Amino acid sequence: MTPPYQLLAETAAGGRRGRLLLPHQTVETPVFMPVGTQGTVKAVPQDTLESLGVEIILGNTYHLYLRPGHEPIRRMGGLHRFISWPRAILTDSGGFQVFSLNALRKVTDDGVQFRSHLDGSSHFFTPEHSIDVQIALGADICMAFDECTEYPATRDRAEESLRLTMAWARRSLDHFRAHCGEVPWRNQLEHKQGVPHPSSAWVGSHDPQSPALGPAQSWVPPVPRPWGPGSDPAQSEIGSRTQSLFAIVQGGMYRDLRRQCAERLVEMDFDGYAIGGLSVGEPRELTLEMISEVLPLLPKDKPRYVMGVGYPDEIEQYARLGVDMMDCVLPTRAARHALLFTSEGRLNIKNKQYSEDQSPPDPACQCPVCRRYSRAYLRHLMNAGEPLSATLNSIHNLAYYLAIMQRVRTSLESAPTPFQA
Ligand SMILES: [Zn+2]
């Protein structure tokens, strides 16, 4: 059994340079994952994401389940093929959106009843159903169904949420193990005698033996091969050839509950571990405290993912502490609201001071937007309500986040190679 994670170097502070071996892509870690809520990273086309060096994006199970539906996506060959994204995808469990978008949800031990925010229709999500949807979407990494504890929460509330999260993690894992062979890539393999889908020519591939640590930007287009992982799932290696399932550590802002949750989930033996329920309104010191509490309890040979963070300085800080994966809507959402992250600090591109400023958004940035356009032009696009504004601002902010992680990865590479048994 090949683990989906290779630890390449580790610092005394715990920072890890590693590599995730996923069916569609080898992902260099620590990594920032842009969020593609509805099968799109808002305003940024897939080829642009590729040219920026993005190796993995997120999809939101809740949104894709409601529209266009996981069954249509399964019939079209899975999410990679539907959105024409050959690299890796992680889907969340749907839990966070069910909880954040549905004031009238009803939670029982079995699952959650909620109404669609689109048309008011009634739906029931269980751990098993969440896993079925994620298998149909065919993400490289699926997440166990959890209940995200709000902030602030009483201890009773956090304990109850924790109890549900652990029970649902067990059910998610059992169901995943029984059904992960039903991933839609399999159908594509069965039909590989037919005419290949145009995008199948550039399906992602990975080479677990690939040598040097390379920057994401140096990613070389993969060798053409049939769409999908390329082997019978029943005989495939876990990690490199099939979907992975990560558990989510909850426990609110209670250190002992976080510890208890982490220990129980580690016993269940998931492919990776996420720390959820953070960045939900708590002070940043508390976020850091919870991350620092949980990280030492997680197995070193598995990836660690902190969900929904954060600002540029936060992602750098957490990566240096040993977080391998992070995602956040912030770079793209802020971009649509005129906020650019730059090496000179935050910049509100709407400000009048930029009206004739012909310098690039960030003079230190090498992204295609900073190489071509001026602050004055970006300000004009924003003020004129032009759609290109969202696109250009988002590309720069994503490039800025990706460059931070590239810098962190490079600096972690100088750390000693850990002893591997
Ligand atoms: Zn830029």
Side-chain angles (χ1 to χ4, degrees), residues 298-311:
L298 302 178
K300 283 199 170 193
D301 60 348
K302 296 195 174 173
R304 299 115 173 243
Y305 164 28
V306 173
M307 308 179 80
V309 295
Y311 282 93

Side-chain angles (χ1 to χ4, degrees), residues 50-266:
E50 286 174 354
S51 66
L52 291 174
V54 174
E55 293 177 324
I56 178 168
I57 60 173
L58 246 76
N60 278 129
T61 293
Y62 170 86
H63 289 286
L64 295 167
Y65 157 79
L66 289 178
R67 181 177 58 193
H70 60 295
E71 287 301 345
I73 292 177
R74 183 209 299 274
R75 289 194 293 274
M76 289 185 280
L79 190 57
H80 292 87
R81 196 161 178 173
F82 175 53
I83 71 170
S84 198
W85 173 252
R87 301 185 185 177
I89 299 177
L90 180 151
T91 45
D92 64 3
S93 68
F96 183 75
Q97 275 76 26
V98 167
F99 293 103
S100 59
L101 293 174
N102 294 275
L104 297 176
R105 66 185 183 268
K106 185 164 178 271
V107 182
T108 62
D109 277 9
D110 197 30
V112 190
Q113 180 98 39
F114 64 94
R115 287 191 179 279
S116 161
H117 72 289
L118 297 174
D119 60 8
S121 55
S122 184
H123 302 265
F124 191 64
F125 246 58
T126 62
E128 291 79 11
H129 188 46
S130 168
I131 295 299
D132 282 338
V133 174
Q134 294 184 74
I135 289 173
L137 296 174
D140 296 78
I141 298 173
C142 305
M143 301 300 299
F145 194 59
D146 65 325
E147 203 212 28
C148 182
T149 316
E150 66 282 354
Y151 176 82
T154 63
R155 191 179 170 91
D156 281 354
R157 164 72 190 121
E159 279 179 350
E160 172 59 14
S161 171
L162 185 64
R163 184 185 68 79
L164 273 182
T165 290
M166 290 192 294
W168 290 355
R170 177 79 257 168
R171 283 167 56 189
S172 296
L173 183 60
D174 291 345
H175 197 75
F176 178 81
R177 284 182 176 157
H179 295 274
C180 62
E182 295 162 22
V183 70
W185 314 323
R186 180 173 200 152
N187 297 336
Q188 290 154 19
L189 295 170
E190 285 168 358
H191 294 108
K192 67 183 174 187
Q193 313 289 7
V195 180
H197 185 279
S199 55
S200 66
W202 36 280
V203 62
S205 66
H206 81 267
D207 177 6
Q209 312 301 327
S210 81
L213 300 172
Q217 283 78 358
S218 68
W219 188 82
V220 178
V223 178
R225 64 186 174 96
W227 187 271
S231 65
D232 183 345
Q235 298 174 8
S236 51
E237 300 168 85
I238 302 296
S240 63
R241 293 292 183 188
T242 69
Q243 294 181 290
S244 299
L245 181 67
F246 286 19
I248 304 175
V249 176
Q250 292 286 353
M253 301 302 156
Y254 299 92
R255 297 169 76 128
D256 61 319
L257 297 185
R258 288 274 173 184
R259 257 196 328 270
Q260 189 187 330
C261 188
E263 285 164 359
R264 292 275 297 279
L265 293 174
V266 169

Side-chain angles (χ1 to χ4, degrees), residues 52 340-342 360-371 378 392-393 395-400:
L52 291 174
L340 301 184
F341 296 103
T342 79
D362 182 352
C365 178
Q366 295 298 310
C367 88
V369 175
C370 291
R371 285 204 306 263
L378 294 191
L392 298 185
N393 292 351
I395 290 172
H396 164 72
N397 275 356
L398 285 176
Y400 186 75

Side-chain angles (χ1 to χ4, degrees), residues 6 25 39 118 189 266 284 306 319 347 353:
Q6 284 179 342
Q25 179 74 33
L118 297 174
L189 295 170
V266 169
R284 199 190 279 193
V306 173
L347 182 156
Q353 69 188 95

